[in-house]
C-alpha cells in the first residue's frame, strides 16, 4: 500500500498552527459580495466549437443564472443579456377568485472577467452584448384573492408597484416617468366587470384575453415545463405522473371554477370546448353559504372534514335493507340520492349538522363533475383527463371523489389527473399572451420550481403583501415560535394517520383540520433558468430518476428527517461562525433553524407538499433555507483552511505518484480518491473524525486502512480500459467530465491527481463543480484558484490550465516561465448549475451540457453525486462512480455493506 512520504513540505504541527491562525483570522465579519453573472460564467475550453440553441430575441435567455439577492426571499435568476423590459403582471378575474401571476426582478452589476470570457469563446458560446444598466432577473409568483375582496388585490398590486414595473424598477430608476398608457393582461369575466375600477385605482387599462385560450395555453405550458405538475390521487395516495410531451395530446381539460368548462385539447392553440356544466365551485359555495352560513369557501371545506354524509344522503343500503345491489355492481355504501334522506325525515334545516351538509354537497358536485367529464372523454376516445380550477384547492377528499367517479364509470379505463398549479391556468395563459415573453417556447429545462420559501411566513391568516425584508421575516419566525400553532404555519395540524394533501383523510374517514392556506403552500415559485438543460449524455432522460433513496417509505422518510434534524445544531454553529459570530448572525441562524424545522415538519406530514420528494430535494431545501437567511457559504472558513493544508502536501504526493509504475499509480489514484472522499461535513460519522486528528492524519489513516476487494469493485475492468492488456494499448478518452465533491483533501489530494493522470494520457479534462455553495463542497468559482496554486508545483497541471484558460496573466507570471508554454490538452472548469450536495442531471448548466457533447468518460465522485443520486443512472459513454459510504443506513440499503465501505463502479459503454 502506497502512502504519503513521511516528511512532507508542511509538517503536521505546522498544519495545526496554520489551522489555528486561520481560525483566528476568520473571526471577523466577512461581507460577501453579490456575484455578477460574468463572475459565475466559469472558464472552460475545447478544441471544437460547441453551439447552443438560441431563443426569441424579445426574451433573451442567454447567460442566465441563479443569483443570490439579500433583499428578496429567494435567489433570483438573472437574464444578463435581456434588452427589453418585461410586463410584470397578469390576472384571471373569475366570479369567485382573482388569480395573479407576476414577474419579479432586481438590480445587479455585471463584471467582465477575461478568464471567463476566454473560456466561453473556447466553448463556442456567444457572449452577446453586455448591458451597462441594471440586469433583469426572472421569477414567476402566484397569488390569489377572493373576488369580493378586490380592493385587497388592488392594494397588493399597488404595494409591490406591479402595475408600474415592480418595486425593483422603482429602486434602480426612481425617476422614470409613469406610463399613462400602461396595460395589464387579464382574462375572465372580471376583466370586463372591473376594468373601470383598475383604471380608477391604478391608472392602468386591462387588455382582455380570451378565457379558453388562456386556460389551454396555461395548461400546456405547465404540462411541458414543470416535471412534477400532474399527479393522480386515489384513496389518499398521491402519485406524480411523468408526461411524455410526444404523447400529451389529445387530452380533456376540465376547468372547475364557478362553473365547469370541458375542453378537448389537440395541441398548442388547437382546442374546442366540447361541454360544460353550471354545477361547479360556485354552486358548492353558494348552496353551502345558504345552508350552513359559512362565510368563505375554505371554511365550507373545513366543515366537510368533520361531516358524515350518511345522515343526509340516501345510500343503496338504505333502499335494500343494508345490502349491496351486486347485480349491477352497486355497494351498500353507494350514494343512491344526494340529500335523499331529507325527503323522508321530518326535520328542518337547523336539525342537520352543517358539517354533514357540507360533505354531502361536496360529494354530490364532485361525483357529478367526475361522471360528466368521463362521458365527454368517452365521446372523443380520450384516456387522460386533467382537472384544474380553484374548486379543487389541493383538497384530498375532492380529488378522491372525482377520481373514484372517473374510475367507476370507465371501469378503470380512464384516469383522472390533477395539476399542482390548478387554479392559475388562466392567469398563466394571460401572462404568456404578452407577445414579447416567448414563454410558450420554454421547455422543462428552462424552469425550476423552487421550494415556496416565503409561503410559510406569509400565508394563512397573515394578510397583506409578502414580508419586505429579512428582519420582518425573522420577527415573524420568532412570533411563530412563541405562539405555536395559533398562527397558520407549515406544521402538522391534523391527527396522525391521515393521508393525502394537507392531512385530509380519505373519503371514508372523519376528522382533521383544513389549513386556510393549503392551496398556496403547495405552489412553489417558478424560476426562469434558461441555462439549465437536460444532460445530453443520459442514456434515457425519460426514465432517468436521480434519487436513489425512496422517501415514499415512511420509515425511510422518518430516518432521514431525524438525520437532518440531528445535524442542524452543528450546521447552525458553522453558519454563524462563517458570518463572524455576530449577534445578527446568531439571530439569523436561529431563524434558519426554525424555518428549516418547520419545513421538515410540514413534509413529514405531507411529503408531496412541494412536489415529488427525494433525498436530493431535502438537501437542496436545506441549502435554500440557508441562503434565505443570508448564509451564502456556511463552510467558507473551513474550506479555506482545508484547501491550504492539502495544497501544502500535494507536491510530495505527486512526486510519490511519479515514482510508481503505471499500473500501481492507477490503483493508488483510485485509492486516493476513495480515501480523500472521507472529508464530508454532511456526514455525522465524519464530523466526529475531525475531532480526532488533522486533515492529513485522517487522509493517511483512510488510505492505510483501504483493502481490496471493495464492496463494489470494478477497478480491474476500469484498469483494462485505461491500460489495456498485454501489448494492446487502448486509445485514450477524448474528454473526461470529473464531477468533484468536497473541498480540501477530496478535490486536491484525490480528484486533481486523477485529473492529472488523464491529462498525461492526452485526455481533455473538465472539472465540474457546484454553481453555489453547499456544505463543504468545492464550487466552480473556487476551483480556478485551487488549480492555479496546484499548478505551481506541476508542469502537467500548469500547461493544461493555461490551455484551458484557467490561468490568467497574473497567475502565469508567478510560474517559472523558463519551462515554456508547450501545447497541452486543456484542463477546464464548468459549473453544474446547482447549489446542492446532489445533482439532478435533468437540470445542468448550458456550459456543462456543451462540454458534455464531446465527452466519452464521466467520473461521478462522492456520496451526493454518485450514491444519493445517479447510482443507478446510465449514460451514453463510459462512467465511473467513486465514493466512500459514510452512512450506515445508506450502506445497508444500497450496497448491503457497512459504513466506510468503498464503491468503485465502472460502467463501460457497451
Amino acid at each position: 500500500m502506497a502512502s504519503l512520504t513521511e516528511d512532507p513540505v508542511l509538517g503536521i504541527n505546522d498544519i495545526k498552527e496554520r489551522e489555528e491562525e486561520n481560525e483566528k483570522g476568520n473571526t471577523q465579519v466577512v461581507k460577501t459580495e453579490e456575484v455578477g453573472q460574468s463572475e459565475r460564467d466559469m472558464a472552460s475550453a475545447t478544441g471544437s466549437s460547441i453551439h447552443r440553441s438560441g431563443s426569441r430575441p424579445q426574451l433573451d435567455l442567454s447567460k442566465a443564472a441563479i443569483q443570490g439577492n439579500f433583499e428578496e426571499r429567494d435567489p433570483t435568476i438573472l437574464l444578463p443579456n435581456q434588452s427589453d423590459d418585461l410586463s410584470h403582471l397578469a390576472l384571471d378575474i373569475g366570479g369567485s377568485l382573482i388569480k395573479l401571476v407576476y414577474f419579479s426582478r432586481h438590480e445587479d452589476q455585471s463584471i467582465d472577467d477575461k478568464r471567463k470570457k476566454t473560456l466561453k469563446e473556447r466553448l463556442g458560446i456567444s457572449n452577446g452584448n453586455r448591458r451597462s444598466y441594471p440586469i433583469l432577473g426572472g421569477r414567476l409568483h402566484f397569488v390569489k384573492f377572493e373576488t369580493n375582496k378586490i380592493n385587497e388585490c388592488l392594494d397588493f398590486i399597488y404595494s409591490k408597484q406591479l402595475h408600474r414595473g415592480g418595486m425593483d424598477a422603482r429602486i434602480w430608476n426612481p425617476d422614470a416617468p409613469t406610463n399613462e398608457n400602461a396595460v395589464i393582461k387579464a382574462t375572465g369575466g372580471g376583466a370586463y366587470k372591473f376594468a373601470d375600477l383598475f383604471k380608477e385605482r391604478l391608472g392602468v387599462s386591462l387588455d382582455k384575453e380570451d378565457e379558453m385560450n388562456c386556460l389551454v395555453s396555461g395548461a400546456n405550458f405547465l404540462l411541458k415545463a414543470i416535471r412534477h405538475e400532474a399527479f393522480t390521487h386515489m384513496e389518499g395516495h398521491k402519485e406524480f405522473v411523468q408526461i411524455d410531451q410526444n404523447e400529451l395530446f389529445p387530452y380533456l381539460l376540465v376547468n372547475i371554477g364557478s362553473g365547469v368548462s370541458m375542453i378537448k385539447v389537440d395541441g398548442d392553440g388547437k382546442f374546442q370546448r366540447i361541454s360544460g356544466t353550471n354545477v361547479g365551485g360556485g354552486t358548492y359555495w353558494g348552496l353551502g353559504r345558504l345552508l350552513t352560513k359559512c362565510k368563505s369557501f375554505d371554511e365550507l371545506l373545513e366543515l366537510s372534514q368533520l361531516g358524515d354524509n350518511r345522515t343526509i344522503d340516501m345510500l343503496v343500503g338504505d333502499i335494500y335493507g343494508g345490502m349491496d345491489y351486486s347485480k349491477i355492481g352497486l355497494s351498500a355504501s353507494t350514494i343512491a340520492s344526494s340529500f335523499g334522506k331529507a325527503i323522508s325525515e321530518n326535520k328542518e334545516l337547523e336539525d342537520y349538522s352543517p358539517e354533514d351538509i357540507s360533505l354531502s354537497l361536496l360529494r354530490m358536485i364532485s361525483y357529478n363533475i367526475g361522471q360528466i367529464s368521463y362521458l365527454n372523454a368517452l365521446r372523443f376516445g380520450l384516456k387522460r383527463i386533467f382537472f384544474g380550477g380553484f374548486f379543487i384547492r389541493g383538497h384530498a377528499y375532492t380529488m378522491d371523489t372525482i377520481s373514484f367517479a372517473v374510475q367507476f364509470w370507465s371501469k378503470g379505463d380512464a384516469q383522472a389527473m390533477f395539476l399542482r398549479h390548478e387554479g392559475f391556468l388562466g392567469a398563466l395563459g394571460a401572462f404568456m399572451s404578452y407577445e414579447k415573453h416567448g414563454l410558450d417556447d420554454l421547455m422543462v429545462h428552462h424552469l425550476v420550481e423552487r421550494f415556496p420559501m416565503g409561503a410559510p411566513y406569509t400565508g394563512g391568516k397573515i394578510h397583506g403583501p409578502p414580508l419586505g425584508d429579512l428582519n420582518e421575516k425573522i420577527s415573524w419566525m420568532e412570533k411563530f415560535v412563541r405562539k405555536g400553532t395559533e398562527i397558520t404555519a407549515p406544521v402538522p395540524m391534523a391527527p396522525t394517520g391521515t393521508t393525502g394533501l394537507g392531512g385530509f383523510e380519505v373519503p371514508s374517514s372523519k376528522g382533521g383540520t383544513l389549513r386556510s392556506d393549503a392551496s398556496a403552500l403547495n405552489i412553489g415559485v417558478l424560476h426562469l433558468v434558461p441555462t439549465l438543460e437536460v444532460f445530453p449524455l443520459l442514456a434515457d432522460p425519460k426514465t432517468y430518476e436521480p434519487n436513489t433513496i425512496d422517501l415514499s417509505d415512511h420509515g425511510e422518510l422518518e430516518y432521514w428527517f431525524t438525520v437532518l434534524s440531528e445535524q442542524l445544531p452543528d450546521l447552525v454553529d458553522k453558519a454563524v461562525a462563517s458570518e463572524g459570530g455576530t449577534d445578527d448572525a446568531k439571530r439569523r441562524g436561529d431563524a434558519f433553524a426554525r424555518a428549516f424545522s418547520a419545513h421538515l415538519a410540514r413534509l413529514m406530514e405531507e411529503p408531496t407538499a412541494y412536489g415529488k420528494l427525494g433525498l436530493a430535494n431535502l438537501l437542496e431545501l436545506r441549502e435554500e433555507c440557508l441562503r434565505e437567511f443570508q448564509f451564502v457559504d456556511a463552510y467558507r472558513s473551513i474550506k479555506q483552511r482545508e484547501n491550504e493544508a492539502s495544497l501544502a502536501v500535494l507536491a510530495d504526493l505527486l512526486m510519490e505518484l511519479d515514482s510508481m509504475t503505471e499500473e500501481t499509480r492507477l490503483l493508488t489514484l483510485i485509492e486516493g480518491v476513495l480515501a480523500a472522499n472521507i472529508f464530508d461535513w454532511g456526514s455525522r460519522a465524519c464530523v466526529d473524525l475531525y475531532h480526532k486528528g488533522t486533515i492529513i492524519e485522517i487522509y493517511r489513516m483512510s488510505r492505510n486502512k483501504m483493502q481490496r476487494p471493495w464492496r463494489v469493485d470494478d477497478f480491474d475492468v476500469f484498469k483494462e480500459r485505461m491500460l489495456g492488456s498485454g501489448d494492446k494499448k487502448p486509445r485514450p478518452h477524448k474528454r473526461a467530465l470529473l464531477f468533484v465533491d468536497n473541498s480540501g483533501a477530496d478535490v486536491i489530494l484525490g480528484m486533481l491527481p486523477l485529473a492529472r493522470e488523464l491529462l498525461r494520457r492526452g485526455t481533455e479534462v473538465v472539472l465540474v463543480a457546484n454553481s453555489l455553495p453547499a456544505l463543504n463542497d468545492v464550487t466552480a468559482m473556487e476551483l480556478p484558484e485551487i488549480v492555479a496554486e496546484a499548478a505551481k508545483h506541476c508542469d502537467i497541471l500548469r500547461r493544461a490550465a493555461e490551455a484551458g484558460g484557467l490561468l490568467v496573466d497574473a497567475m502565469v507570471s508567478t510560474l517559472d516561465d523558463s519551462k515554456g508554454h508547450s501545447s497541452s490538452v486543456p484542463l477546464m472548469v464548468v459549473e453544474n448549475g446547482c447549489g446542492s450536495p446532489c445533482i439532478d442531471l435533468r437540470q445542468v448548466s448550458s456550459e456543462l451540457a456543451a462540454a458534455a457533447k464531446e465527452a466519452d468518460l464521466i467520473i461521478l465522485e462522492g456520496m451526493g453525486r454518485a450514491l444519493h443520486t445517479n447510482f443507478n443512472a446510465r449514460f451514453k459513454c463510459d462512467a465511473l462512480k467513486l465514493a466512500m459510504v459514510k452512512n450506515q443506513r445508506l450502506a445497508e440499503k444500497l450496497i448491503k455493506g457497512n459504513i466506510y465501505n468503498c464503491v468503485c463502479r465502472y460502467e463501460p459503454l457497451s
Side-chain angles (χ1 to χ4, degrees), residues 75-93:
T76 301
I77 306 309
L78 298 182
L79 303 181
N81 297 324
Q82 178 64 36
S83 58
D84 296 326
D85 199 353
L86 298 179
S87 298
H88 283 72
L89 173 66
L91 304 99
D92 178 2
I93 311 176

Side-chain angles (χ1 to χ4, degrees), residues 654-904:
L654 298 181
M655 188 182 301
E656 179 188 352
L657 289 167
D658 288 342
S659 69
M660 299 175 182
T661 64
E662 193 174 46
E663 185 173 329
T664 302
R665 183 167 67 243
L666 185 61
L667 175 60
T668 304
L669 285 166
I670 298 301
E671 289 175 341
V673 172
L674 294 171
N677 189 236
I678 198 172
F679 298 97
D680 188 344
W681 282 90
S683 164
R684 170 57 60 186
C686 295
V687 170
D688 294 338
L689 283 177
Y690 289 110
H691 302 295
K692 299 177 182 179
T694 66
I695 186 172
I696 304 305
E697 290 171 337
I698 298 170
Y699 173 69
R700 283 180 173 170
M701 175 196 71
S702 179
R703 281 187 61 182
N704 290 334
K705 287 185 176 181
M706 200 164 291
Q707 297 292 331
R708 291 188 67 198
W710 301 313
R711 189 62 188 174
V712 178
D713 194 340
D714 296 334
F715 172 76
D716 291 334
V717 182
F718 178 66
K719 180 183 71 173
E720 184 173 350
R721 169 60 184 89
M722 294 292 291
L723 306 181
S725 57
D727 296 332
K728 186 178 180 181
K729 295 295 181 183
R731 61 169 179 79
H733 290 95
K734 181 178 181 181
R735 177 183 294 166
L737 303 180
L738 275 60
F739 288 77
V740 297
D741 191 10
N742 305 298
S743 295
D746 198 359
V747 66
I748 295 170
L749 304 182
M751 292 298 278
L752 264 185
L754 180 59
R756 177 178 179 261
E757 183 69 16
L758 291 166
L759 292 165
R760 187 203 299 263
R761 295 174 179 278
T763 300
E764 297 179 358
V765 174
V766 180
L767 300 176
V768 184
N770 268 15
S771 299
L772 297 174
L775 291 173
N776 64 317
D777 290 358
V778 67
T779 67
M781 288 197 65
E782 296 163 343
L783 263 180
E785 184 177 350
I786 291 173
V787 171
E789 287 298 315
K792 293 178 181 179
H793 310 291
C794 174
D795 286 347
I796 297 174
L797 291 176
R798 176 176 62 84
R799 290 194 296 269
E802 289 176 356
L806 293 181
L807 297 182
V808 294
D809 295 341
M811 294 178 180
V812 174
S813 65
T814 64
L815 303 173
D816 184 0
D817 291 331
S818 64
K819 295 180 180 178
H821 296 274
S822 58
S823 61
S824 172
V825 290
L827 173 64
M828 300 167 276
V829 171
V830 298
E831 58 180 328
N832 57 23
C834 78
S836 166
C838 302
I839 184 169
D840 182 344
L841 292 174
R842 292 169 301 199
Q843 297 173 334
V844 302
S845 71
S846 61
E847 288 81 3
L848 173 54
K853 293 175 183 177
E854 298 293 329
D856 51 1
L857 173 63
I858 294 171
I859 299 179
L860 287 160
E861 181 241 356
M863 282 216 308
R865 293 158 187 80
L867 298 183
H868 289 316
T869 53
N870 300 305
F871 186 68
N872 300 317
R874 294 294 178 265
F875 300 96
K876 297 177 182 177
C877 66
D878 294 353
L880 180 65
K881 299 168 185 177
L882 300 170
M884 177 181 284
V885 187
K886 299 174 284 282
N887 176 277
Q888 182 61 40
R889 179 100 166 198
L890 185 67
E892 294 170 355
K893 289 278 185 179
L894 204 59
I895 60 174
K896 295 180 171 56
N898 297 307
I899 193 169
Y900 300 131
N901 280 169
C902 293
V903 172
C904 175

Side-chain angles (χ1 to χ4, degrees), residues 112-410:
D112 198 12
D113 185 298
K114 178 181 178 181
R115 174 177 58 77
K116 293 156 192 169
K117 183 177 180 181
T118 300
L119 181 132
K120 287 290 188 179
E121 292 170 350
R122 283 182 172 273
L123 278 178
I125 300 175
S126 174
N127 202 37
N129 297 319
R130 289 286 181 192
R131 288 171 46 136
S132 59
Y133 49 95
I135 295 167
L136 304 183
R139 296 179 298 165
L140 296 178
H141 304 258
F142 304 85
V143 184
K144 64 179 174 65
F145 295 89
E146 293 181 13
T147 305
N148 60 10
K149 298 178 181 178
I150 189 170
N151 285 325
E152 289 185 9
C153 173
L154 294 170
D155 290 342
F156 176 84
I157 294 172
Y158 184 82
S159 70
K160 295 188 75 67
Q161 293 289 288
L162 296 177
H163 59 305
R164 300 178 62 192
M167 289 294 291
D168 314 311
R170 297 296 102 191
I171 292 171
W172 66 261
N173 194 8
D175 298 324
T178 301
N179 185 358
E180 299 296 336
N181 299 313
V183 173
I184 294 175
K185 292 286 187 178
T187 190
Y192 297 87
K193 182 177 180 179
F194 298 108
D196 292 341
L197 183 60
F198 273 80
K199 187 68 175 179
E200 177 186 339
R201 288 284 308 276
L202 301 177
V204 298
S205 299
L206 296 183
D207 187 7
K208 292 87 170 175
E209 293 293 327
D210 179 74
E211 190 170 356
M212 293 298 115
N213 271 322
C214 289
L215 284 172
V216 172
S217 179
N220 286 346
F221 172 69
L222 288 171
L223 290 170
K224 289 179 180 181
I226 308 302
R227 185 176 300 108
H228 297 138
E229 177 64 31
F231 61 92
T232 59
H233 204 288
M234 281 291 290
E235 298 182 355
H237 178 67
K238 181 178 183 179
E239 184 174 342
F240 288 94
V241 179
Q242 184 77 7
I243 303 294
D244 186 338
Q245 295 186 28
N246 296 321
E247 300 176 2
L248 174 60
F249 306 110
Y251 67 84
L252 182 66
L253 175 62
V254 181
N255 189 67
I256 314 173
S258 299
V260 182
S261 289
M262 298 178 187
I263 308 164
K264 178 176 177 283
V265 182
D266 295 300
D268 291 320
K270 300 176 182 177
F271 64 89
Q272 63 178 119
R273 186 181 188 275
I274 58 175
S275 186
T277 171
N278 57 356
V279 180
T283 310
Y284 177 59
W285 191 350
L287 284 176
R289 186 168 186 174
L290 290 174
L291 296 173
T292 69
K293 307 303 180 184
C294 281
K295 296 181 180 179
S296 72
F297 193 100
D298 288 324
E299 184 183 352
L300 189 62
L301 275 180
E302 188 169 348
L303 279 181
S304 72
Q305 293 304 115
L306 305 174
D308 184 351
N309 67 299
R310 292 173 299 181
T311 65
I312 299 179
D313 292 342
M314 183 181 294
L315 309 182
V316 169
D318 295 326
I319 301 173
Y320 284 87
M323 299 178 64
D324 297 339
Y325 189 178
S326 55
K327 185 175 181 179
I328 59 174
L330 296 179
S331 68
S333 60
T334 301
I335 299 174
S337 174
S338 294
F339 289 87
K341 281 186 180 176
I343 299 172
S344 58
E345 294 179 339
N346 188 23
K347 292 182 180 180
E348 298 299 325
L349 178 60
E350 55 269 18
D351 296 325
Y352 290 98
S353 161
E355 290 83 357
D356 297 344
I357 292 173
S358 176
L359 182 59
S360 179
L361 188 60
L362 179 63
R363 296 192 74 169
M364 178 184 76
I365 293 173
S366 298
Y367 276 136
N368 184 61
I369 293 172
Q371 180 181 11
I372 295 176
S373 298
Y374 167 67
L375 293 175
N376 277 282
L378 183 64
R379 285 176 59 202
F380 295 93
L382 307 175
K383 299 295 184 182
R384 280 194 298 267
I385 309 173
F386 294 102
F387 291 87
F390 256 116
F391 169 72
I392 299 170
R393 304 217 178 177
H395 189 201
Y397 197 110
T398 305
M399 292 186 288
D400 278 352
T401 305
I402 291 174
S403 296
F404 180 82
V406 172
Q407 183 186 55
F408 177 85
W409 290 106
S410 71

